Coordinates of all heavy atoms in Angstrom, one line a residue:
M1 N 34.1 152.0 -123.8 CA 34.9 152.3 -125.0 C 34.0 152.8 -126.2 O 33.0 152.2 -126.4 CB 35.6 151.0 -125.5 CG 36.7 151.1 -126.5 SD 37.2 149.5 -127.0 CE 37.8 148.8 -125.4
N2 N 34.4 153.9 -126.8 CA 33.6 154.5 -127.9 C 34.1 154.0 -129.2 O 35.3 153.9 -129.3 CB 33.6 156.0 -127.8 CG 33.1 156.5 -126.5 OD1 32.2 155.9 -125.9 ND2 33.7 157.6 -126.0
I3 N 33.3 153.8 -130.2 CA 33.7 153.5 -131.5 C 33.4 154.7 -132.3 O 32.2 155.1 -132.4 CB 33.1 152.2 -132.1 CG1 33.5 151.0 -131.2 CG2 33.5 152.0 -133.5 CD1 32.8 149.8 -131.5
L4 N 34.4 155.3 -132.9 CA 34.1 156.6 -133.7 C 33.5 156.2 -135.0 O 33.9 155.3 -135.7 CB 35.5 157.3 -133.9 CG 36.2 157.7 -132.7 CD1 37.4 158.6 -133.0 CD2 35.3 158.5 -131.7
E5 N 32.5 157.0 -135.4 CA 31.8 156.8 -136.6 C 32.6 157.2 -137.8 O 33.4 158.1 -137.7 CB 30.5 157.6 -136.6 CG 29.4 156.9 -135.8 CD 28.2 157.8 -135.7 OE1 27.7 158.3 -136.8 OE2 27.7 158.1 -134.6
N6 N 32.4 156.4 -138.9 CA 33.1 156.7 -140.2 C 34.6 156.6 -140.1 O 35.3 157.0 -141.0 CB 32.7 158.1 -140.7 CG 31.2 158.3 -140.7 OD1 30.5 157.4 -141.1 ND2 30.8 159.5 -140.4
Q7 N 35.1 156.0 -139.1 CA 36.5 155.8 -139.0 C 36.7 154.5 -138.3 O 36.0 154.1 -137.5 CB 37.2 156.9 -138.1 CG 37.2 158.3 -138.7 CD 37.8 159.2 -137.7 OE1 38.9 159.2 -137.4 NE2 36.9 160.1 -137.2
I8 N 37.8 153.8 -138.7 CA 38.2 152.6 -138.0 C 39.1 153.0 -136.8 O 40.3 152.9 -136.9 CB 38.8 151.6 -138.9 CG1 38.0 151.5 -140.2 CG2 38.9 150.2 -138.2 CD1 38.7 150.8 -141.3
L9 N 38.5 153.6 -135.8 CA 39.2 154.0 -134.7 C 38.5 153.7 -133.4 O 37.3 153.7 -133.4 CB 39.4 155.5 -134.7 CG 40.6 156.1 -135.6 CD1 40.6 157.6 -135.4 CD2 41.9 155.5 -135.1
Y10 N 39.2 153.4 -132.4 CA 38.6 153.1 -131.1 C 39.1 154.2 -130.2 O 40.3 154.7 -130.3 CB 39.0 151.8 -130.6 CG 38.5 150.7 -131.4 CD1 39.2 150.2 -132.5 CD2 37.3 150.1 -131.1 CE1 38.7 149.2 -133.3 CE2 36.7 149.1 -132.0 CZ 37.5 148.7 -133.1 OH 36.9 147.7 -133.8
Q11 N 38.2 154.6 -129.3 CA 38.6 155.8 -128.5 C 38.5 155.4 -127.0 O 37.5 154.7 -126.6 CB 37.6 156.9 -128.8 CG 38.0 158.2 -128.2 CD 36.9 159.3 -128.4 OE1 35.7 159.0 -128.2 NE2 37.3 160.4 -128.9
C12 N 39.4 155.8 -126.2 CA 39.3 155.6 -124.8 C 38.1 156.4 -124.2 O 38.0 157.6 -124.6 CB 40.6 156.1 -124.1 SG 40.5 156.1 -122.3
E13 N 37.3 155.8 -123.5 CA 36.1 156.5 -123.0 C 36.4 157.5 -121.9 O 35.6 158.3 -121.5 CB 35.0 155.6 -122.6 CG 35.3 154.7 -121.5 CD 34.1 153.8 -121.1 OE1 33.9 152.7 -121.7 OE2 33.3 154.2 -120.2
Y14 N 37.6 157.4 -121.4 CA 37.9 158.3 -120.2 C 38.7 159.5 -120.7 O 38.4 160.6 -120.3 CB 38.7 157.5 -119.2 CG 38.0 156.2 -118.8 CD1 38.5 155.0 -119.2 CD2 36.9 156.3 -118.0 CE1 37.8 153.8 -118.8 CE2 36.2 155.2 -117.6 CZ 36.6 153.9 -118.0 OH 36.0 152.8 -117.7
C15 N 39.7 159.3 -121.5 CA 40.5 160.5 -121.9 C 40.4 160.9 -123.3 O 41.0 161.8 -123.8 CB 42.0 160.3 -121.5 SG 42.9 159.1 -122.6
K16 N 39.6 160.1 -124.1 CA 39.3 160.4 -125.5 C 40.5 160.2 -126.4 O 40.4 160.6 -127.6 CB 38.7 161.8 -125.7 CG 37.6 162.2 -124.8 CD 36.4 161.3 -125.0 CE 35.2 161.6 -124.0 NZ 34.3 160.5 -123.8
K17 N 41.5 159.5 -126.0 CA 42.6 159.2 -126.9 C 42.1 158.1 -127.9 O 41.4 157.2 -127.5 CB 43.8 158.7 -126.0 CG 45.1 158.6 -126.7 CD 46.2 158.3 -125.7 CE 47.4 157.9 -126.5 NZ 48.5 157.5 -125.7
S18 N 42.6 158.3 -129.1 CA 42.2 157.3 -130.2 C 43.2 156.2 -130.4 O 44.4 156.5 -130.3 CB 41.9 158.0 -131.5 OG 41.1 159.1 -131.3
F19 N 42.7 155.1 -130.8 CA 43.5 153.9 -131.1 C 43.1 153.2 -132.3 O 41.9 153.3 -132.7 CB 43.5 152.9 -129.9 CG 44.1 153.5 -128.6 CD1 43.3 154.2 -127.8 CD2 45.4 153.3 -128.3 CE1 43.8 154.8 -126.6 CE2 45.9 153.8 -127.2 CZ 45.1 154.6 -126.3
I20 N 44.0 152.7 -133.0 CA 43.7 152.0 -134.3 C 43.1 150.6 -134.0 O 42.3 150.2 -134.7 CB 45.0 151.9 -135.2 CG1 45.5 153.3 -135.5 CG2 44.7 151.0 -136.4 CD1 46.9 153.3 -136.0
T21 N 43.6 150.0 -133.0 CA 43.0 148.6 -132.7 C 42.2 148.7 -131.4 O 42.5 149.5 -130.5 CB 44.2 147.6 -132.5 OG1 44.9 148.0 -131.3 CG2 45.1 147.5 -133.7
K22 N 41.2 147.7 -131.4 CA 40.4 147.6 -130.2 C 41.2 147.1 -129.0 O 41.1 147.6 -127.9 CB 39.3 146.5 -130.5 CG 38.2 146.5 -129.5 CD 37.1 145.5 -130.0 CE 36.0 145.5 -129.0 NZ 34.9 144.6 -129.5
Q23 N 42.2 146.2 -129.3 CA 43.0 145.7 -128.3 C 43.9 146.8 -127.6 O 44.1 146.9 -126.4 CB 43.9 144.6 -128.8 CG 44.7 143.8 -127.8 CD 43.8 143.3 -126.7 OE1 42.7 142.8 -126.9 NE2 44.3 143.3 -125.4
G24 N 44.3 147.7 -128.5 CA 45.1 148.8 -128.0 C 44.4 149.7 -127.1 O 44.9 150.1 -126.0
A25 N 43.1 150.0 -127.5 CA 42.3 150.9 -126.7 C 42.0 150.2 -125.3 O 42.0 150.8 -124.3 CB 41.0 151.2 -127.4
K26 N 41.7 148.9 -125.4 CA 41.3 148.1 -124.2 C 42.5 148.1 -123.2 O 42.4 148.4 -122.0 CB 41.0 146.7 -124.6 CG 40.3 145.9 -123.5 CD 39.7 144.7 -124.2 CE 38.9 143.8 -123.2 NZ 39.8 143.0 -122.3
N27 N 43.7 147.8 -123.8 CA 44.9 147.8 -123.0 C 45.2 149.1 -122.3 O 45.5 149.2 -121.2 CB 46.0 147.5 -124.0 CG 47.2 146.7 -123.3 OD1 47.0 146.0 -122.4 ND2 48.4 146.9 -123.9
H28 N 45.0 150.2 -123.1 CA 45.2 151.5 -122.6 C 44.2 151.8 -121.4 O 44.6 152.2 -120.3 CB 45.0 152.5 -123.7 CG 44.8 153.9 -123.2 ND1 45.8 154.7 -122.8 CD2 43.7 154.6 -122.9 CE1 45.3 155.9 -122.4 NE2 44.0 155.9 -122.4
E29 N 42.9 151.5 -121.6 CA 41.9 151.7 -120.5 C 42.2 150.9 -119.3 O 42.0 151.4 -118.2 CB 40.5 151.4 -121.1 CG 40.0 152.4 -122.0 CD 38.5 152.1 -122.4 OE1 38.0 151.0 -122.1 OE2 37.9 152.9 -123.1
E30 N 42.7 149.7 -119.5 CA 42.9 148.8 -118.3 C 44.2 149.1 -117.6 O 44.4 148.8 -116.4 CB 42.8 147.4 -118.7 CG 41.4 147.0 -119.1 CD 41.2 145.6 -119.4 OE1 42.2 144.8 -119.5 OE2 40.1 145.2 -119.6
K31 N 45.2 149.6 -118.3 CA 46.5 149.7 -117.7 C 47.1 151.1 -117.6 O 47.8 151.4 -116.7 CB 47.5 148.8 -118.5 CG 47.2 147.3 -118.3 CD 48.4 146.5 -118.8 CE 48.1 145.1 -118.9 NZ 48.6 144.5 -120.2
Y32 N 46.9 151.9 -118.7 CA 47.8 153.1 -118.8 C 47.0 154.4 -118.6 O 47.6 155.4 -118.4 CB 48.5 153.1 -120.1 CG 49.3 151.8 -120.3 CD1 49.0 150.9 -121.2 CD2 50.4 151.6 -119.5 CE1 49.7 149.7 -121.4 CE2 51.2 150.5 -119.6 CZ 50.8 149.5 -120.6 OH 51.6 148.4 -120.7
C33 N 45.7 154.4 -118.8 CA 45.0 155.6 -118.8 C 44.9 156.2 -117.4 O 44.5 155.6 -116.4 CB 43.5 155.4 -119.3 SG 42.7 157.0 -119.3
Y34 N 45.4 157.5 -117.3 CA 45.4 158.1 -116.0 C 44.0 158.6 -115.5 O 43.9 158.9 -114.3 CB 46.4 159.3 -115.9 CG 46.1 160.4 -116.8 CD1 45.5 161.5 -116.3 CD2 46.3 160.3 -118.2 CE1 45.1 162.6 -117.1 CE2 46.0 161.4 -119.0 CZ 45.4 162.5 -118.5 OH 45.1 163.5 -119.3
L35 N 43.1 158.6 -116.4 CA 41.7 159.0 -116.0 C 40.8 157.8 -115.8 O 39.7 157.9 -115.3 CB 41.1 159.8 -117.1 CG 41.6 161.2 -117.3 CD1 41.0 161.9 -118.5 CD2 41.4 162.1 -116.1
S36 N 41.3 156.6 -116.2 CA 40.5 155.4 -116.0 C 40.5 154.9 -114.6 O 41.6 154.9 -114.0 CB 41.0 154.3 -117.0 OG 40.5 153.1 -116.6
P37 N 39.4 154.4 -114.1 CA 39.3 153.9 -112.7 C 39.9 152.4 -112.7 O 40.1 151.9 -111.6 CB 37.9 153.9 -112.4 CG 37.1 153.8 -113.7 CD 38.0 154.5 -114.7
I38 N 40.1 151.8 -113.9 CA 40.4 150.4 -113.9 C 41.8 150.1 -113.3 O 42.0 149.2 -112.5 CB 40.2 149.8 -115.3 CG1 38.8 150.0 -115.8 CG2 40.6 148.3 -115.3 CD1 38.6 149.7 -117.2
P39 N 42.8 150.8 -113.8 CA 44.2 150.5 -113.2 C 44.2 150.7 -111.7 O 44.8 149.9 -111.0 CB 45.1 151.6 -113.9 CG 44.4 152.0 -115.1 CD 42.9 151.9 -114.8
K40 N 43.5 151.7 -111.2 CA 43.5 151.9 -109.8 C 42.8 150.8 -109.0 O 43.3 150.3 -108.0 CB 42.8 153.2 -109.5 CG 43.0 153.6 -108.0 CD 42.7 155.1 -107.7 CE 43.1 155.3 -106.3 NZ 42.2 156.2 -105.6
R41 N 41.7 150.3 -109.6 CA 40.9 149.2 -109.0 C 41.8 148.0 -109.0 O 41.9 147.3 -108.0 CB 39.7 149.0 -109.8 CG 38.5 148.4 -109.0 CD 37.4 148.0 -109.8 NE 36.8 149.1 -110.6 CZ 36.4 149.0 -111.9 NH1 36.4 147.8 -112.4 NH2 36.0 150.0 -112.5
K42 N 42.5 147.7 -110.1 CA 43.4 146.5 -110.2 C 44.5 146.6 -109.2 O 44.9 145.7 -108.5 CB 43.9 146.4 -111.6 CG 42.9 145.9 -112.6 CD 43.5 145.3 -113.8 CE 42.4 144.6 -114.6 NZ 42.8 144.1 -115.8
W43 N 45.0 147.8 -109.1 CA 46.2 148.0 -108.1 C 45.7 147.8 -106.7 O 46.4 147.2 -105.9 CB 46.7 149.4 -108.3 CG 47.8 149.8 -107.4 CD1 49.0 149.3 -107.3 CD2 47.7 150.7 -106.3 NE1 49.7 149.9 -106.3 CE2 48.9 150.7 -105.6 CE3 46.6 151.5 -105.8 CZ2 49.2 151.5 -104.5 CZ3 46.9 152.3 -104.7 CH2 48.1 152.3 -104.1
L44 N 44.5 148.3 -106.4 CA 43.9 148.1 -105.0 C 43.8 146.7 -104.7 O 44.1 146.2 -103.6 CB 42.6 148.8 -104.9 CG 42.6 150.3 -104.7 CD1 41.2 150.9 -104.7 CD2 43.3 150.7 -103.4
E45 N 43.3 145.9 -105.7 CA 43.1 144.4 -105.5 C 44.5 143.8 -105.2 O 44.6 143.0 -104.3 CB 42.5 143.8 -106.7 CG 41.0 143.9 -106.8 CD 40.5 143.5 -108.1 OE1 41.1 142.8 -108.9 OE2 39.3 144.0 -108.4
K46 N 45.5 144.2 -105.9 CA 46.8 143.7 -105.8 C 47.4 144.1 -104.4 O 47.9 143.3 -103.7 CB 47.7 144.3 -106.9 CG 49.1 143.7 -106.9 CD 49.9 144.2 -108.1 CE 51.3 143.6 -108.0 NZ 52.2 144.3 -108.9
V47 N 47.1 145.3 -104.0 CA 47.6 145.8 -102.7 C 46.9 145.0 -101.6 O 47.6 144.5 -100.6 CB 47.3 147.3 -102.5 CG1 47.5 147.7 -101.0 CG2 48.1 148.2 -103.4
K48 N 45.6 144.7 -101.7 CA 44.9 144.0 -100.7 C 45.4 142.5 -100.5 O 45.4 142.0 -99.4 CB 43.4 144.0 -101.0 CG 42.8 145.3 -100.5 CD 41.3 145.3 -100.7 CE 40.7 146.7 -100.7 NZ 39.5 146.7 -101.5
S49 N 45.8 141.9 -101.7 CA 46.2 140.5 -101.6 C 47.7 140.3 -101.4 O 48.2 139.2 -101.4 CB 45.7 139.8 -102.8 OG 46.3 140.3 -104.0
C50 N 48.4 141.5 -101.4 CA 49.9 141.4 -101.3 C 50.4 141.1 -99.9 O 49.8 141.6 -99.0 CB 50.4 142.8 -101.8 SG 52.2 142.9 -101.8
E51 N 51.4 140.3 -99.9 CA 52.1 140.2 -98.6 C 53.3 141.1 -98.7 O 54.3 140.8 -99.2 CB 52.6 138.7 -98.4 CG 51.5 137.8 -98.4 CD 51.8 136.4 -97.8 OE1 52.9 136.4 -97.0 OE2 51.1 135.5 -98.0
H52 N 53.0 142.3 -98.1 CA 54.0 143.4 -98.3 C 55.4 143.1 -97.8 O 55.5 142.5 -96.7 CB 53.5 144.7 -97.7 CG 52.1 145.0 -98.1 ND1 51.8 145.3 -99.4 CD2 50.9 145.1 -97.4 CE1 50.5 145.6 -99.5 NE2 49.9 145.4 -98.3
E53 N 56.3 143.5 -98.5 CA 57.7 143.5 -98.1 C 58.3 144.9 -98.2 O 58.3 145.4 -99.3 CB 58.5 142.5 -99.0 CG 59.5 141.7 -98.3 CD 60.1 140.7 -99.3 OE1 59.4 139.9 -99.9 OE2 61.3 140.8 -99.5
W54 N 58.7 145.5 -97.1 CA 59.0 146.9 -97.1 C 60.4 147.2 -97.5 O 61.4 146.5 -97.0 CB 58.6 147.5 -95.8 CG 57.2 147.3 -95.5 CD1 56.6 146.4 -94.7 CD2 56.1 148.1 -96.1 NE1 55.2 146.5 -94.7 CE2 54.9 147.5 -95.6 CE3 56.0 149.1 -97.0 CZ2 53.6 148.0 -95.9 CZ3 54.8 149.6 -97.4 CH2 53.6 149.0 -96.9
E55 N 60.6 148.2 -98.2 CA 61.9 148.7 -98.5 C 61.9 150.2 -98.3 O 60.8 150.9 -98.5 CB 62.2 148.5 -100.0 CG 63.6 148.8 -100.4 CD 64.3 147.5 -100.8 OE1 64.3 146.5 -100.0 OE2 64.9 147.5 -101.9
T56 N 63.0 150.8 -97.9 CA 63.0 152.3 -97.6 C 63.5 153.0 -98.8 O 64.5 152.7 -99.4 CB 63.9 152.6 -96.4 OG1 63.4 151.9 -95.3 CG2 63.8 154.1 -96.1
K57 N 62.7 154.0 -99.2 CA 63.1 154.8 -100.4 C 63.9 155.9 -99.8 O 63.6 156.6 -98.9 CB 61.8 155.4 -101.0 CG 62.1 156.5 -102.0 CD 62.1 156.0 -103.4 CE 62.2 157.1 -104.4 NZ 63.5 157.3 -105.0
L58 N 65.1 156.1 -100.5 CA 66.0 157.1 -100.1 C 65.9 158.3 -101.0 O 65.9 158.1 -102.2 CB 67.5 156.6 -100.1 CG 67.7 155.4 -99.1 CD1 69.1 154.8 -99.3 CD2 67.5 155.8 -97.7
S59 N 66.0 159.5 -100.5 CA 65.9 160.7 -101.3 C 67.0 161.6 -100.9 O 67.5 161.6 -99.8 CB 64.6 161.4 -101.2 OG 63.5 160.6 -101.6
P60 N 67.5 162.4 -101.9 CA 68.6 163.4 -101.6 C 68.0 164.4 -100.5 O 66.9 164.8 -100.6 CB 68.8 164.1 -102.9 CG 68.2 163.2 -103.9 CD 67.1 162.5 -103.3
M61 N 68.9 164.7 -99.6 CA 68.6 165.7 -98.6 C 68.5 167.1 -99.2 O 69.3 167.4 -100.1 CB 69.7 165.8 -97.5 CG 69.3 165.1 -96.3 SD 70.6 165.4 -95.1 CE 71.0 163.8 -94.5
A62 N 67.5 167.9 -98.8 CA 67.4 169.2 -99.3 C 68.7 170.0 -99.0 O 69.1 170.1 -97.8 CB 66.2 169.9 -98.7
G63 N 69.3 170.6 -100.0 CA 70.5 171.4 -99.8 C 71.8 170.6 -99.7 O 72.9 171.1 -99.9
E64 N 71.6 169.2 -99.5 CA 72.8 168.3 -99.5 C 72.5 167.2 -100.5 O 72.4 166.1 -100.1 CB 73.0 167.8 -98.1 CG 73.2 168.8 -97.0 CD 74.7 169.1 -96.8 OE1 75.5 168.6 -97.5 OE2 75.0 169.9 -95.9
E65 N 72.5 167.6 -101.8 CA 72.0 166.6 -102.8 C 72.8 165.3 -102.9 O 72.4 164.3 -103.4 CB 72.0 167.3 -104.2 CG 71.2 168.6 -104.2 CD 69.8 168.5 -103.8 OE1 69.2 167.4 -104.1 OE2 69.2 169.5 -103.2
H66 N 74.1 165.4 -102.4 CA 74.9 164.2 -102.5 C 74.6 163.2 -101.3 O 75.1 162.1 -101.3 CB 76.4 164.5 -102.5 CG 76.8 165.4 -101.3 ND1 76.4 166.7 -101.2 CD2 77.6 165.1 -100.3 CE1 76.9 167.1 -100.0 NE2 77.6 166.2 -99.5
L67 N 73.9 163.7 -100.3 CA 73.5 162.8 -99.2 C 72.1 162.3 -99.3 O 71.2 163.0 -99.7 CB 73.6 163.6 -97.9 CG 75.0 164.1 -97.5 CD1 74.9 164.9 -96.2 CD2 75.9 162.9 -97.2
L68 N 71.9 161.0 -99.0 CA 70.6 160.4 -99.1 C 70.1 160.2 -97.7 O 70.8 159.9 -96.7 CB 70.7 159.1 -99.7 CG 71.1 159.1 -101.2 CD1 71.2 157.6 -101.7 CD2 70.1 159.8 -102.1
E69 N 68.8 160.5 -97.5 CA 68.1 160.2 -96.2 C 66.9 159.4 -96.5 O 66.3 159.5 -97.6 CB 67.8 161.5 -95.5 CG 66.8 162.4 -96.3 CD 66.4 163.6 -95.5 OE1 66.7 163.7 -94.3 OE2 65.8 164.5 -96.1
P70 N 66.5 158.6 -95.5 CA 65.3 157.8 -95.7 C 64.1 158.7 -95.9 O 63.9 159.7 -95.2 CB 65.1 157.0 -94.3 CG 66.5 157.1 -93.7 CD 67.1 158.4 -94.2
D71 N 63.3 158.4 -96.9 CA 62.1 159.3 -97.2 C 60.8 158.6 -96.8 O 60.1 159.1 -95.9 CB 62.1 159.5 -98.7 CG 61.2 160.7 -99.1 OD1 60.4 161.1 -98.2 OD2 61.4 161.3 -100.2
Y72 N 60.5 157.4 -97.4 CA 59.3 156.7 -97.0 C 59.5 155.2 -97.3 O 60.4 154.9 -98.0 CB 58.1 157.2 -97.7 CG 58.2 157.2 -99.2 CD1 57.9 156.1 -99.9 CD2 58.6 158.4 -99.9 CE1 57.9 156.1 -101.3 CE2 58.7 158.3 -101.3 CZ 58.4 157.2 -101.9 OH 58.5 157.2 -103.3
D73 N 58.7 154.4 -96.7 CA 58.7 153.0 -96.9 C 57.7 152.6 -98.0 O 56.6 153.1 -98.0 CB 58.4 152.2 -95.6 CG 59.6 152.2 -94.7 OD1 60.7 152.8 -95.1 OD2 59.5 151.7 -93.6
Y74 N 58.1 151.7 -98.9 CA 57.2 151.2 -99.9 C 57.3 149.7 -100.1 O 58.4 149.1 -99.7 CB 57.4 151.9 -101.2 CG 58.8 151.5 -101.9 CD1 58.8 150.6 -102.9 CD2 59.9 152.1 -101.5 CE1 60.0 150.2 -103.5 CE2 61.2 151.7 -102.0 CZ 61.2 150.8 -103.1 OH 62.3 150.4 -103.6
C75 N 56.3 149.1 -100.6 CA 56.3 147.6 -100.8 C 57.0 147.4 -102.2 O 56.6 148.0 -103.2 CB 54.9 147.1 -100.8 SG 54.8 145.4 -101.2
I76 N 57.9 146.4 -102.2 CA 58.6 146.1 -103.4 C 57.8 145.3 -104.4 O 58.1 145.2 -105.5 CB 59.9 145.3 -103.1 CG1 59.7 144.0 -102.4 CG2 60.9 146.2 -102.4 CD1 60.9 143.2 -102.2
H77 N 56.6 144.8 -103.9 CA 55.8 144.0 -104.8 C 54.7 144.8 -105.4 O 54.5 144.8 -106.6 CB 55.1 142.8 -104.0 CG 56.2 141.9 -103.4 ND1 57.1 141.2 -104.1 CD2 56.4 141.7 -102.1 CE1 57.9 140.5 -103.3 NE2 57.5 140.8 -102.1
C78 N 53.9 145.6 -104.6 CA 52.8 146.3 -105.2 C 53.1 147.8 -105.2 O 52.2 148.6 -105.6 CB 51.5 146.0 -104.4 SG 51.6 146.6 -102.7
S79 N 54.2 148.2 -104.7 CA 54.7 149.6 -104.7 C 53.8 150.6 -103.9 O 53.9 151.8 -104.0 CB 54.9 150.1 -106.1 OG 53.7 150.4 -106.7
V80 N 52.9 150.0 -103.0 CA 52.2 150.9 -102.1 C 53.1 151.5 -101.1 O 54.1 150.9 -100.8 CB 51.0 150.1 -101.4 CG1 51.6 149.2 -100.4 CG2 50.0 151.1 -100.8
T81 N 52.9 152.7 -100.7 CA 53.7 153.3 -99.7 C 53.0 153.1 -98.3 O 51.8 152.9 -98.3 CB 54.0 154.8 -99.9 OG1 52.7 155.5 -99.7 CG2 54.6 155.1 -101.2
E82 N 53.7 153.2 -97.3 CA 53.2 153.1 -95.9 C 52.0 154.0 -95.7 O 51.0 153.7 -95.1 CB 54.2 153.3 -94.9 CG 54.5 152.1 -94.0 CD 55.5 152.4 -92.9 OE1 56.1 153.5 -92.9 OE2 55.7 151.6 -92.1
M83 N 52.2 155.3 -96.2 CA 51.2 156.3 -96.0 C 49.9 155.9 -96.7 O 48.8 156.1 -96.2 CB 51.7 157.6 -96.5 CG 51.8 158.7 -95.3 SD 52.8 160.1 -95.8 CE 52.1 160.6 -97.3
E84 N 50.1 155.5 -98.0 CA 48.9 155.1 -98.8 C 48.2 154.0 -98.2 O 46.9 154.0 -98.1 CB 49.4 154.7 -100.2 CG 49.7 155.8 -101.1 CD 50.4 155.4 -102.4 OE1 51.0 154.3 -102.4 OE2 50.3 156.1 -103.4
L85 N 48.9 153.0 -97.7 CA 48.3 151.8 -97.0 C 47.5 152.2 -95.8 O 46.4 151.7 -95.6 CB 49.4 150.8 -96.7 CG 48.9 149.5 -96.2 CD1 48.1 148.7 -97.3 CD2 50.0 148.6 -95.7
R86 N 48.1 153.1 -95.0 CA 47.4 153.6 -93.8 C 46.0 154.2 -94.2 O 45.0 154.0 -93.7 CB 48.2 154.6 -93.1 CG 48.0 154.5 -91.6 CD 49.0 155.3 -90.8 NE 50.4 154.8 -91.0 CZ 51.5 155.6 -90.9 NH1 51.3 156.8 -90.5 NH2 52.7 155.1 -91.1
K87 N 46.1 155.1 -95.3 CA 44.9 155.7 -95.8 C 43.9 154.7 -96.3 O 42.7 154.8 -96.0 CB 45.3 156.7 -96.9 CG 45.1 158.1 -96.6 CD 45.2 159.0 -97.8 CE 46.6 159.6 -97.9 NZ 46.8 160.3 -99.2
L88 N 44.4 153.7 -97.0 CA 43.5 152.7 -97.6 C 42.8 151.9 -96.5 O 41.6 151.6 -96.5 CB 44.2 151.7 -98.5 CG 44.8 152.3 -99.8 CD1 45.6 151.2 -100.5 CD2 43.6 152.7 -100.7
L89 N 43.5 151.6 -95.4 CA 42.9 150.9 -94.3 C 41.9 151.7 -93.5 O 41.0 151.1 -93.0 CB 44.0 150.4 -93.4 CG 45.0 149.3 -94.0 CD1 46.1 149.0 -93.0 CD2 44.3 148.1 -94.4
N90 N 42.1 153.0 -93.5 CA 41.2 153.8 -92.8 C 39.9 154.2 -93.6 O 39.0 154.7 -93.1 CB 41.9 155.1 -92.3 CG 42.9 154.8 -91.2 OD1 42.7 153.9 -90.5 ND2 43.9 155.7 -91.1
A91 N 40.0 154.0 -94.9 CA 38.9 154.4 -95.8 C 37.7 153.5 -95.6 O 37.8 152.3 -95.3 CB 39.4 154.3 -97.3
Ligands
ZN1 ZN1 42.5 157.0 -121.7
ZN2 ZN1 52.7 145.0 -101.2

C-alpha cells in the first residue's frame, strides 16, 4: 500500500486507485482489486478447503434464447467451476 505525499490519501499498490481511508484501501486490495493477487489467493484457499456441492449453470441456447441448456457445473459454496478445478488440480 502506498501513502501519497502531501495528501491524506491511500493508494492501492496494484491498480493505483486512491482511497480516503486506510481501511478502505486495505479492503479494496484484499477483496475487490482485480489486479491484486490477494483475492485470488484467498479464493484458492477457500476452494481447497471447500467440500464442493455442484450445481449446473444453465445458459440460453444460441439462436434459441428462450431455451436453456446445461452450460457448466459450479460449486455453490466457492463458485469454482469444474473446469477451473481440473486446471487447479493439474497445476
Ligand atoms: Zn486496486
Ligand atoms: Zn466449493
Side-chain angles (χ1 to χ4, degrees):
M1 196 186 296
N2 303 323
I3 298 172
L4 300 187
E5 281 174 51
N6 307 322
Q7 290 176 67
I8 313 166
L9 275 181
Y10 296 88
Q11 191 186 47
C12 170
E13 64 177 87
Y14 307 106
C15 72
K16 309 298 178 204
K17 193 172 168 182
S18 310
F19 295 85
I20 296 162
T21 64
K22 192 173 180 177
Q23 189 53 40
K26 192 166 182 284
N27 207 28
H28 164 84
E29 283 183 355
E30 289 184 355
K31 292 195 192 134
Y32 305 110
C33 183
Y34 64 99
L35 290 176
S36 164
I38 303 169
K40 192 164 183 217
R41 210 187 303 141
K42 290 200 166 173
W43 175 71
L44 280 175
E45 278 167 23
K46 192 175 170 191
V47 168
K48 279 184 198 151
S49 62
C50 178
E51 299 201 16
H52 306 299
E53 220 176 298
W54 300 102
E55 187 113 310
T56 302
K57 169 96 171 102
L58 300 173
S59 297
M61 257 187 232
E64 301 270 4
E65 306 301 328
H66 57 290
L67 294 175
L68 295 176
E69 63 178 345
D71 198 342
Y72 56 86
D73 286 355
Y74 69 98
C75 172
I76 57 175
H77 303 297
C78 67
S79 76
V80 73
T81 67
E82 243 185 349
M83 241 164 56
E84 283 170 334
L85 188 65
R86 213 171 300 157
K87 248 192 260 171
L88 291 174
L89 293 177
N90 290 333

